[in-house]
Every structure is written in C-alpha cells, then in structure tokens.
Amino acid sequence: METMRKIGVMCLVALAILQSISVAAESPAQPADEGWPQFGGPNRDSVAANSPKLANSWPKNGPALVWKSDLIPGYTQGGCSGPVVADGKVFVYATAKKPVGGGAAYDIFTPDALASAGWLPGLPEELSKRIEAARLSPEHPMPEGASFSWWEIRNEVERNKAADEYLAKSPELDKFIRDFIATLTPEEALKYGAYIRYRFCARPKLDWNANNGLTRVALVELEQSRGQKFATVLESCAPVGAAWVKGGVQTPVFSKYMIVDKFLKSAFEKSFTRVDQLTCLDAATGKKLWATEIPMDDRTLAWFGTCDDSMWFQNLGACGTPAVAAGRCYFSGFTGLYCLSAKDGAILWKASVPPTQASVLVCGGVVYFAGVAYRADTGAELWRTPLWKKCRDANTSPVLWRADGKDYVVDVNGGSSTLLCLDLQTGKEAWTCKVFSRGWVPNWFALRRDGDLLTAGGTVYRMSPTAVTPVQTTVDGKPVMNGGIIDQGYLFQETHPGEGRHLKNQGVNCWDLKTGEDKWNCDVTAKDLKGVMSEGVRQEVWLGTEGYRLTPSILADGKILMSICDLPYYFWGGDKSMDVLMLRATTEKFEPLGCFAPGMIPWAPMALADGKLFIRTVFGISCYDLAEHGIYLEGVTAKKDSLAFRFKQTGGGLVLKDGTNDPKEVMITDAKGAAKPAKATMTGDTIVVDIKDVPIPFGISYAGTGALAGKNELPAPGFSWNAVRALKYAKCFDQTIVLTSNRPLTAGWNNAANFDVSGAKVTTVSVFAESVTLTTDQTWKAGDTVTLTYPCFQVDQGDPRRETLTFTAPEVVHATAKFVKTDETTSGGWKGVYGSEGAVVQHDAASVIPKCAAVTPRNQRDCTWVDTTQEARALLKSGDAKDRIAACWFSDTAFDIDVGTTDDKEHQVAVYFMDWDALGRAVKVEVRDAVSDAVLDTQTVMDFKNGKYLVWKIKGQASFHFLSTGKENATVSGVFVDPPGQAGK
C-alpha cells in the first residue's frame, strides 16, 4: 500500500488513493490479509499493510455493523484488553467480575454494604437529622490528616480499639462526641452510641477519592436501592450517581464507569469474584466458540487490597492484549502468563508472573513478556534481563524490530525511563537509552516503530544493532501521548497538552521526521469534523484534552483510524464512550473522512482485519465493515514498458460506456506538468498504460468523468499515480555515495542488490525518508566518474525498469577538530576575549555573523530566560556594552549546530554553556565531520550554572552534536569564532 501524495503539477486529479504496486502476472493475487494477531497488528507497528480498500466515507449512521457479541465484560467490569484476530477467530481477555453466589445478577446494595457506608437501618429520622446537623456544623472538630476509616475494619473489637486510638489523639473530637451522646436518652445512647462515634469520625465533606463520609441525603438515596439486583456492574452505578448528586456533588464523578471510591470499593467487591477469562469468537458471525475461565487463588485476591495501583488493577484488572501464533493464544492475567490452544481453549502451559498492563509479544517461536522470554511451544524460560524492575509497572507494550536478519524486542524497563533493545532469541543487550516515560496508564502506547525509526516519549530515534541516536524531538515539552503512526518519513500523532498543559501542539499533528517541520496540527473540535460526524457522535468532541487516555491508531489504505471523545465529560461520569475518527494520511492538511460512535471503551486497542474493525465495548466486541464495496483501484502492476491498473468491485468487470476498449481520458504528465493522452487499453478489470518511451519522472491520471464504470453500474473513481523515483546526487566521499529522492523511500530500498555502481560493489544501504546512503568497496577520488542504476518503481514489490544516474566525484575536504580548553572564568563577558571574527548570541538581534564560518542550529527549540539583565553569567549583547541576555537553544534529547569554515583555514570556535535556572544540566558534546558524520572529538560539560566555554580549533565543515546526559535538557547560549591563536583568559 502506498499513500497518495499530491506532488505539485505531477498530479492532475487527486480523487483516489494509490494502492500497492506489485510485479508478476498481469493480474497477480493480492497479498492475503494477515489478520491482527497481536497488539499493534502483524508487525506490532499498527499498520495493516495488506488491508483491502477502505471506504472513503461513512453513511450518516456510521459504517455497517456486522455483529455484536454476547456479553464479554469490559472496562470496570472486565478491563481494557483489546481484541486480536487470527485464523478466522477473535480472541479477547477480561479480568471478569462474576456475581457472588453464582447466577447472572449483581446484588450490590446489601445491608452490610450500606452499613459500611454509614447507613444504620432503624435509626429514627429525627435523630438521624440531628446527627447530620452536628456532623456538618462548624463546631464539629476534625484533626489534620486522614480521617478514621472505620468502614475498612470488619471486626467489631478491632474497630473499637482503632477508634479509641484515633480519638486518643483527637481529644477535641472525643469531647464533641461525648457531649453529643450526653444529650441523648440512656436508651438512645446505648443503642446508637457506637454508630454516632464512627459517624462523627468521618470528615463531613463528601470526597469521591477518599470517602470521608457520604451525606445523609446520599445514604437515603442509596438505601432505596437495597435489594435491587443488576445485570452488570455498570447498571448499578446509576443509583450511585444519583445519590452523589443529591448528596451535594454537582458532577456524578465516575458514576457511570469508574469505581474508585472507598465505600464503593468495599460494597462492590463484596458483590463479585474475579476470574481470568479468555473468550474466542467466530470472526464472521461473533458467535462464541469457547471461553476459558481461570479463578484467582486466595493469594492473588488478597493482593488486590494491598496493591498501590488500586485504581487500575482493582477496578480495571489486567489490560494486556493477547497474541496468537501457530494455533496457540498467549495472554497475561492476574494469575499468570498462559498459553492456550486456539482450537478449544485448553491450557497448554503457564508461567508465574506478577500482573502487569503490558501486552504479550510473540515472534519466531519466542514469547516475550515483562523482561522474560519463553519457548512458545513449552513455556520453558529462555532468558531474562537482569536490569528489569518494577514488573507491575510494566504498562508499555514492547515493539518488535528486525535488523540484519535478527529479531529484537524494544521495551521500557518496567516503570523506569530506561529503554532496552534486546536480541529476542538470546536476550543479549543491543543498547539502552533514557526516555521520558509514564508507566501507570493501562496499555501505555508510547512506542512506535517504522523501519529503523522509533518514537518514544515524543522523540524520534534511529536504531542500529549497536546504538540508538535521537533524530528529532517532535513536540514542545515533555509529551504525554500515544506512539503515533510513522508513514514514509512522516509522523502522525495524537498529543496531549501535558502536565500543566505546556505543549503547544495538542490534538493531532503531522511532522516531517527529516526536518522536524510541523506540517499541520489540529485540536480536533466539533467544527473540524463538520460534515463527517455520524449520528451519536458527541458534538462537544475534543481530542486534545486528555490524549493519553486514547487507544493506538491504525494505518490502512492510506487512512488513519483513531479514537476521540470529549474526555472530561467521559472521564468524569458521562454516558458517552470513545468515538472512532478516520482521516487521510496526508502531509498537506488535517483531512477527516468520517467519525462514528461505536461505544468503544478507552485504552482498549482496536483491531482491523480483512476490512473489518473490531471494537471493545463495555458489553463485548462489535464488528464493523469498513471495506469499500464499490469499484476501486486495487493495485498497479509495474513492468518495463507498461503499468497495469487493476480495478475491483462488487459485481465484477469494467466497461467503457462508448463500447470500446480504449479509455481515452487517461493522461500522462511530464516533469514540467505538460499533459497528453496516454496509450491505454482495457482488458477485463485492468487498464494497461504504455510507458515505453516516457521519460522519468512522469505521472498518470484519470479524471473519472463517468466514461468508465463497473458492470454493476457503479462509476469508476478518478485515479492518479506518481510513484516513479528520480534519484539525484547529493554528495560523495571516501567509499560513500549519498542520493536524494523525489519521493519518500520505503524500507525495501535497504537492499544493496537494488543498486549497481560501475566498477564497484554496493555493500550496505541506509534509507531515511527521501535520502539513501550507499557504501561501496571502492574509495572515490576527485574526478572519478560514477555511474549507477536504480529501480524507478517501488522496489519492495520488485521492479523490472531501471534508471541511470551519472556524476563526477568532487574533491572532499574532511573537517578537523582539536579540543583546546575549558574556560570557567570569562562567564558572560565574552567581548575582548572571544568573537573577534564573529559572535552568535542566542536571541540577540545585533549578533555579528562570522564571515569566515556559517553557524546553523538544527533540531533545536529556542528559549529566553531573561531578555535584559546585569547578571555576569548572562552573555553581553553584541550591540550594547552593559546589557546582557540569558537565552539558549535547547532540546530535551539532542540538537546540532553546524559550524562550517568557508576559507579553508583553521579557526577557533568557542561554545558557551549556561545552566541559568540551576537544574543540574549535563551535556555531552560530539564534534563531527559534516561530510562523513565521523566523530572527531567528544567532551562532557557539567556544573555550568555560572557559565562555561568549551573551545576547539576547527577546519572545514563541522557539526556540533549536543546530547543531554542528565534528567534535564541540553542547552547552548552562544557560539564565538576567532583566529586559531586567540588565547582567551
């Protein structure tokens, strides 16, 4: 599949999306859909590479519902695991809550539960009102700190003892209680004294997070639900919401979905038991084929009351998504890691692991989970990483990466901020990296991979089997976001404004990973979706507010499927669920195609298989048909002298309304945009275009005027094609050739066999977006003529046509760098010491740009701490003898400043570092040859609160790479150029 790009005048009509290019027979079989067998799909990159064509829009009531399953409890009743699809079956895990005593109904509001909330049956109404008035009066003293949680102590003797100890530390409260009880008759004091004592020990303010005491009005409302039974835990939340509203809380916090209040925790947990449940459905009908339930042992159940992550583990359960391979289904629940037969659910093996929220990874006969690898067939442990920690905080689902014929797993080390890359077969560590991490969210989707690129914590990295290097920080500040989708060198990502809402770009964004350019960003409000929202979508929808609660996106057929909702409304007790948004994966603009409301719960990943979308709801799985059933372009077959456009549609067969087999309106455009009719013929469902004498680059388009249609009378859409690659020479040095492309290059271009170089052998190829680097076995000298051939079509599906590129190798002068010194005394007073040939002071408009060197920052962000100051550590402004400025270039990870001398002479370059806000920054500096990227020198600077200069002698084109090695960002405040003999102080 290839996303249609609008390339200037090359595209006459942008009315359809180009499908995959394949080579072989005139009408080759389309690659089989691989299903969605684990978290992130077949390759764990959230890409459905072999998806059929998806419809470009949805009806008013949303896409067609194929089926809904019977009850499979989700969200607070069963967790947020996502469905997976393999071999015609759907598998989904739930930490299922089962009613106590059997049956199908939940008895929530039992007398015991109401008593634990503060309700006393038979308490006279007049006395009840007196107690409430005293409890809410200003005279009711409450000590600082937590209140006495009497409802958590079931044994009466222990409860009285705890109350005595609590009141012994609160004599004023003890006296208040005794004085009130003294106003009662002896009979009332004997009968109700203990209850009054407990009641007055709870804080009077209703607090959903601590349950400092439900109000009397709320208790009366809840008591009216006594004896009712509910089909689901969700239904029982409605009375709670009503009680809280009548009790004084204006918003029914979590009343519909989340159960976190301590009374509710006690009441609800007494009404159900928990089991690990794996359910298998028929993918075509939704009919249940089998379900395996594994009861939790006493030790696991006891753990629920002590775990720190009560909100996620106690209320949601485990949320990892299963994985299916070779007829087996693997999942992790509370009772362990399991391998089940996909045929009948029989347990094949089990491994003891602590519960986490991460998803199992399966590849090459290895099952990886939370730092441990097992044999997929037997469960025998293969290896474990010694670095692993905080297993229960392992919520980030790992990424699978293939390089040099090996499989690697990339994972966050538990709740820490360490990123690990491990050989999947041996566990050998390839590299580690510090990243920004949020470990407590269920199914945290911070990682995303495409080829050798990885996004983690808002930063893009380039991976190799030996190292990882930051490429580009994608957003402003430390992000809270999903991993996004990487497509042909562009990152499409949902972002969140972060702690304190400090991100500039919230909502959905598109970044160019090569340049760091923000191509577009959109908050995604209702007005942005005007015209595409189906019935049931909430009109106040806004994605940007709480993006880290959303599910991972999916890329298929040049479209992105993502979840959105008005999350404050949802999270704080609303009755609406997540909506699904479909947008076009284009770099031009935010282009929504459809939005519908399937009732999806948060965090649970979606699955897409054979054009059908599988959604987890509170009540089960819903399946929707997203496929295009009208006529559409299925793919393009590339041959040396022709391109064959294959169409597919319900009913079968293409026809020309003029009765011929000559589609006259197919056009070819050249590089200048000139258009002429193409030589084209139609055979069956295929249009063949003659390209024998057409020079590269070229484009093909058909306007879709109605002359072409299917036999079912559905009109053929317009289509366009611009996939020809035209490579250009960029630079050549030593054994290296660097080329640029007119179109993004896919991973298939990494094969050295795609390139032939005259008189030399290509040994390695490295591709990044629109550039490709070749390493040969010959060293190129100035004046050498280099001739190479390359494929002009998409190489990962084969290509019989090749183009030739010839150039002359130039003379190359590599940069040199020699470290001179560290200067800790000059501070901000650089004048007369540095910068005699030029000084670049960040955010100083009067900076004198050096004539002998070009100073160019890259991949950085800018900051001004203080625009004017007299502090000595701030740099003097170039045009002012006294005024100073404290500013910097910075990055949370790494950035570059290119310093290229232009006169072929050696110069002294001084770089000024200042930790203005004293955060304890530490920066590693690599001076690199800008031609070869070889590291010429490495220094580390720390403790630069008062300012430090690092000084080098530089000749040629050099690049300074600044990498943060601490918890804070890397900063540089100025660059100064002098003759090589400049002594300084």
Side-chain angles (χ1 to χ4, degrees):
M1 290 273 175
E2 181 179 89
T3 306
M4 182 183 72
R5 302 288 187 199
K6 183 178 180 183
I7 312 293
V9 296
M10 290 299 296
C11 179
L12 291 181
V13 183
L15 298 176
I17 295 179
L18 172 66
Q19 301 298 303
S20 62
I21 301 172
S22 54
V23 175
E26 198 71 74
S27 297
Q30 189 76 350
D33 189 282
E34 299 175 273
W36 202 265
Q38 57 182 316
F39 174 88
N43 295 311
R44 295 182 78 93
D45 57 3
S46 285
V47 177
N50 297 325
S51 169
K53 170 79 173 177
L54 304 183
N56 287 324
S57 61
W58 295 327
K60 186 176 181 180
N61 58 349
L65 174 66
V66 180
W67 50 259
K68 284 187 177 182
S69 72
D70 291 336
L71 177 65
I72 300 173
Y75 205 34
T76 54
Q77 193 164 315
C80 301
S81 171
V84 294
V85 185
D87 303 323
K89 300 175 181 177
V90 181
F91 302 83
V92 62
Y93 164 79
T95 307
K97 294 177 172 67
K98 297 287 185 177
V100 168
Y106 296 83
D107 186 7
I108 305 292
F109 302 104
T110 63
D112 184 47
L114 292 171
S116 70
W119 178 258
L120 183 62
L123 181 66
E125 182 178 358
E126 187 61 34
L127 178 57
S128 176
K129 291 180 178 180
R130 284 183 58 201
I131 294 172
E132 191 71 358
R135 195 175 76 92
L136 299 177
S137 70
E139 289 77 22
H140 179 207
M142 287 303 297
E144 295 296 326
S147 62
F148 169 43
S149 302
W150 51 269
W151 50 85
E152 296 180 352
I153 305 176
R154 298 183 181 182
N155 183 280
E156 186 175 358
V157 174
E158 293 180 2
R159 188 190 305 159
N160 285 329
K161 181 180 178 182
D164 290 340
E165 293 174 352
Y166 180 77
L167 292 174
K169 300 175 183 178
S170 310
E172 291 184 0
L173 177 59
D174 185 44
K175 182 178 184 302
F176 181 83
I177 294 172
R178 292 177 184 276
D179 289 346
F180 181 87
I181 294 176
T183 65
L184 306 179
T185 66
E187 293 79 8
E188 289 176 328
L190 179 63
K191 189 173 184 178
Y192 304 117
Y195 166 77
I196 293 171
R197 192 180 187 214
Y198 299 146
R199 184 75 174 146
F200 281 5
C201 283
R203 293 186 182 278
K205 182 181 178 181
L206 178 58
D207 186 335
W208 65 270
N209 193 35
N211 186 24
N212 291 323
L214 297 178
T215 65
R216 178 182 180 278
V217 175
L219 288 173
V220 170
E221 186 73 23
L222 288 179
E223 197 274 340
Q224 294 176 359
S225 300
R226 184 180 58 180
Q228 294 185 39
K229 293 191 175 183
F230 302 89
T232 66
V233 173
L234 175 65
E235 293 176 8
S236 66
C237 292
V240 180
W244 276 349
V245 171
K246 291 187 177 181
V249 178
Q250 296 303 311
T251 303
V253 181
F254 291 119
S255 64
K256 301 292 184 183
Y257 297 102
M258 278 295 191
I259 307 168
V260 297
D261 177 87
K262 290 187 177 180
F263 153 64
L264 291 175
K265 171 178 174 291
S266 173
F268 280 75
E269 287 189 354
K270 291 176 183 178
S271 68
F272 58 74
T273 60
R274 293 180 175 90
V275 297
D276 283 331
Q277 174 182 295
L278 199 287
T279 303
C280 175
L281 309 173
D282 185 308
T285 65
K287 179 181 178 181
K288 184 168 74 173
L289 300 178
W290 53 260
T292 298
E293 294 185 354
I294 305 167
M296 296 189 187
D297 55 30
D298 292 340
R299 181 178 179 182
T300 303
L301 291 172
W303 176 81
F304 273 97
T306 61
C307 73
D308 296 331
D309 301 298
S310 59
M311 183 175 183
W312 309 118
F313 282 110
Q314 294 190 38
N315 298 306
L316 294 181
C319 294
T321 296
V324 180
R328 300 182 180 91
C329 182
Y330 306 86
F331 73 93
S332 174
F334 269 99
T335 49
L337 174 66
Y338 286 89
C339 171
L340 272 59
S341 167
K343 179 180 179 181
D344 55 16
I347 298 175
L348 303 179
W349 57 260
K350 173 191 174 182
S352 296
V353 297
T356 83
Q357 306 289 26
S359 300
V360 179
L361 182 151
V362 182
C363 179
V366 176
V367 175
Y368 172 85
F369 182 74
V372 184
Y374 308 85
R375 278 190 54 159
D377 54 354
T378 66
E381 185 174 316
L382 297 174
W383 55 263
R384 64 174 58 209
T385 169
L387 295 177
W388 198 264
K389 61 182 179 180
K390 292 187 177 180
C391 185
R392 199 172 64 221
D393 291 332
N395 299 337
T396 302
S397 294
V399 164
L400 180 65
W401 175 50
R402 293 184 175 94
D404 296 344
K406 290 185 177 181
D407 291 321
Y408 295 87
V409 57
V410 181
D411 200 2
V412 174
N413 184 357
S416 74
S417 57
T418 301
L419 194 66
L420 303 174
C421 180
L422 308 166
D423 186 311
L424 185 60
Q425 296 293 331
T426 66
K428 182 179 179 181
E429 180 184 297
W431 44 260
T432 63
C433 178
K434 290 290 185 181
V435 296
F436 177 75
S437 174
R438 288 289 293 269
W440 53 265
V441 176
N443 274 341
W444 182 236
F445 315 114
L447 304 181
R448 180 63 68 235
R449 177 200 59 79
D450 179 75
D452 297 334
L453 296 179
L454 174 78
T455 64
T459 299
V460 180
Y461 299 86
R462 178 175 292 284
M463 300 182 291
S464 79
T466 58
V468 61
T469 305
V471 174
Q472 177 67 45
T473 300
T474 59
V475 294
D476 178 24
K478 294 180 178 178
V480 180
M481 62 177 64
N482 292 325
I485 293 289
I486 302 177
D487 180 33
Q488 301 188 69
Y490 297 91
L491 174 64
F492 299 87
Q493 192 164 44
E494 311 98 295
T495 61
H496 171 264
E499 302 292 334
R501 303 186 183 278
H502 57 267
L503 297 187
K504 293 180 180 178
N505 298 328
Q506 64 183 35
V508 182
N509 298 259
C510 173
W511 284 279
D512 184 333
L513 297 185
K514 185 177 182 180
T515 65
E517 179 185 1
D518 187 359
K519 305 295 289 187
W520 55 258
N521 60 81
C522 181
D523 278 346
V524 190
T525 61
K527 68 177 182 179
D528 300 310
L529 304 181
K530 185 178 181 180
V532 302
M533 287 193 294
S534 302
E535 295 175 351
V537 176
R538 185 169 171 79
Q539 299 302 302
E540 292 81 1
V541 64
W542 184 17
L543 182 143
T545 305
E546 294 283 351
Y548 66 91
R549 302 192 190 282
L550 307 186
T551 70
S553 299
I554 294 176
L555 174 66
D557 181 39
K559 304 175 180 72
I560 295 175
L561 301 168
M562 62 173 55
S563 61
I564 63 172
C565 75
D566 181 4
L567 268 160
Y569 177 81
Y570 181 82
F571 193 62
W572 299 113
D575 57 0
K576 295 289 183 180
S577 55
M578 316 291 286
D579 302 324
V580 175
L581 168 67
M582 179 172 66
L583 59 97
R584 199 180 300 282
T586 174
T587 61
E588 297 174 16
K589 61 181 179 180
F590 172 75
E591 186 179 349
L593 301 175
C595 185
F596 80 109
M600 182 170 63
I601 61 177
W603 297 299
M606 302 176 285
L608 184 70
D610 195 28
K612 295 182 176 61
L613 185 67
F614 299 84
I615 297 288
R616 181 85 183 269
T617 72
V618 173
F619 303 106
I621 303 296
S622 296
C623 173
Y624 293 87
D625 187 1
L626 305 189
E628 173 60 70
H629 294 287
I631 181 171
Y632 64 90
L633 180 65
E634 180 188 35
V636 182
T637 301
K639 287 192 174 183
K640 183 176 181 181
D641 296 329
S642 66
L643 290 177
F645 293 79
R646 304 185 311 277
F647 288 84
K648 188 175 183 180
Q649 69 282 317
T650 303
L654 278 175
V655 295
L656 281 171
K657 291 187 177 181
D658 63 6
T660 71
N661 69 341
D662 181 12
K664 301 179 181 62
E665 296 180 8
V666 178
M667 306 294 290
I668 285 185
T669 54
D670 60 23
K672 295 182 179 180
K676 65 179 182 179
K679 296 178 181 179
T681 58
M682 189 177 74
T683 303
D685 295 344
T686 302
I687 294 176
V688 180
V689 180
D690 186 345
I691 60 170
K692 182 178 180 180
D693 298 319
V694 178
I696 287 177
F698 65 87
I700 296 177
S701 64
Y702 172 74
T705 60
L708 183 67
K711 287 183 179 178
N712 55 6
E713 299 184 354
L714 292 173
F719 60 87
S720 62
W721 183 88
N722 295 286
V724 175
R725 263 63 175 187
L727 299 185
K728 294 183 179 180
Y729 163 76
K731 59 183 177 180
C732 176
F733 59 92
D734 301 334
Q735 296 175 297
T736 302
I737 300 172
V738 180
L739 309 170
T740 59
S741 171
N742 65 322
R743 293 181 57 79
L745 299 172
T746 57
W749 286 72
N750 280 319
N751 187 350
N754 293 321
F755 301 90
D756 291 324
V757 178
S758 59
K761 178 182 178 181
V762 177
T763 56
T764 62
V765 179
S766 177
V767 170
F768 178 68
E770 297 175 358
S771 69
V772 56
T773 301
L774 312 178
T775 304
T776 68
D777 63 355
Q778 176 176 318
T779 300
W780 303 103
K781 301 182 296 294
D784 286 348
T785 298
V786 182
T787 300
L788 62 86
T789 62
Y790 62 89
C792 59
F793 298 127
Q794 190 163 320
V795 299
D796 38 351
Q797 279 97 10
D799 178 20
R801 177 166 173 171
R802 303 179 70 81
E803 289 295 309
T804 300
L805 176 65
T806 301
F807 61 89
T808 301
E811 182 177 358
V812 176
V813 178
H814 289 289
T816 62
K818 180 180 179 182
F819 184 69
V820 177
K821 64 177 180 178
T822 299
D823 177 358
E824 302 183 30
T825 60
T826 302
S827 196
W830 57 273
K831 293 183 179 180
V833 182
Y834 300 110
S836 61
E837 293 183 320
V840 180
V841 176
Q842 169 61 339
H843 275 184
D844 178 11
S847 289
V848 180
I849 306 301
K851 294 182 179 180
C852 58
V855 179
T856 309
R858 292 186 291 112
N859 305 326
Q860 88 293 346
R861 301 198 298 278
D862 303 332
C863 171
T864 298
W865 288 300
V866 180
D867 184 63
T868 179
T869 181
Q870 298 300 312
E871 280 205 46
R873 59 197 180 111
L875 288 171
L876 285 166
K877 294 182 179 179
S878 297
D880 195 307
K882 296 182 180 180
D883 196 17
R884 298 172 182 260
I885 184 172
C888 68
W889 301 285
F890 78 97
S891 171
D892 291 335
T893 51
F895 69 100
D896 304 273
I897 297 180
D898 297 333
V899 180
T901 60
T902 58
D903 56 5
D904 197 29
K905 295 180 180 179
E906 188 177 65
H907 293 266
Q908 177 179 285
V909 176
V911 180
Y912 186 64
F913 301 84
M914 177 177 55
D915 187 8
W916 177 262
D917 38 11
L919 297 179
R921 293 176 171 89
V923 180
K924 179 181 178 181
V925 187
E926 293 179 346
V927 186
R928 299 175 176 177
D929 178 9
V931 175
S932 65
D933 208 33
V935 177
L936 307 176
D937 184 66
T938 301
Q939 303 291 330
T940 298
V941 57
M942 298 183 293
D943 302 324
F944 49 93
K945 174 184 176 181
N946 295 320
K948 286 185 181 181
Y949 296 84
L950 297 188
V951 184
W952 290 266
K953 290 181 180 179
I954 299 293
K955 182 180 180 182
Q957 303 295 313
S959 178
F960 289 77
H961 184 68
F962 305 97
L963 175 68
S964 171
T965 59
K967 295 182 179 180
E968 300 301 327
N969 48 31
T971 63
V972 170
S973 294
V975 178
F976 306 87
V977 181
D978 294 280
Q982 188 82 11
K985 289 186 178 180

